C-alpha cells in the first residue's frame, strides 16, 4: 500500500506530529491523481516547513519529498479581526 506521509519542520527540526493517509486508489508509473488531505497544523503560530512524501509499506520512500513553506497563524487573530 502506498500512502502520503506528512510531517512539520521548524528550523531544521521535526516540529509536530507525523500524519499519513493512504492513496484513494492504485497509481501506475507516469499516472497522476488528485487526493484531498486534511492536515493538523502545529499548535504554536510561526513559520514551518510542511513535508509531503509518498511511502510504500514494502519499499519505503518513493521519490523526493515535497516541501512547502507554511505560516501558521494564531486562531484568535482571526476571531479578533472579525470584531
Amino acid at each position: 500500500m502506498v500512502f502520503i506521509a506528512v510531517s512539520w519542520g521548524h528550523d531544521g527540526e521535526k516540529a509536530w506530529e507525523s500524519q499519513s493517509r493512504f492513496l484513494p486508489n492504485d497509481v501506475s508509473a507516469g499516472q497522476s491523481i488528485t487526493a484531498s488531505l486534511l492536515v493538523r497544523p502545529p499548535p504554536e503560530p510561526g513559520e514551518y516547513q510542511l513535508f509531503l512524501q509518498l511511502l510504500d509499506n514494502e519499499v519505503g520512500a518513493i521519490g523526493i519529498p515535497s516541501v512547502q513553506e507554511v505560516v501558521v497563524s494564531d486562531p484568535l487573530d482571526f476571531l479578533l479581526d472579525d470584531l
Side-chain angles (χ1 to χ4, degrees):
M1 298 290 305
V2 176
F3 59 98
I4 302 170
V6 179
S7 60
W8 292 91
H10 181 72
D11 292 335
E13 301 291 326
K14 183 176 176 180
W16 184 232
E17 66 185 7
S18 295
Q19 304 163 51
S20 63
R21 180 185 193 283
F22 285 104
L23 294 181
N25 53 278
D26 291 339
V27 182
S28 300
Q31 183 183 10
S32 64
I33 63 166
T34 300
S36 297
L37 185 65
L38 182 62
V39 179
R40 287 180 301 276
E44 296 296 321
E47 296 180 8
Y48 294 88
Q49 298 79 41
L50 179 64
F51 296 89
L52 299 122
Q53 174 76 58
L54 287 178
L55 295 174
D56 182 292
N57 283 340
E58 296 179 16
V59 299
I62 300 172
I64 58 172
S66 172
V67 181
Q68 305 296 316
E69 298 294 324
V70 177
V71 175
V72 174
S73 300
D74 187 335
L76 291 178
D77 290 343
F78 292 108
L79 295 174
L80 294 175
D81 287 344
D82 290 336
L83 295 178

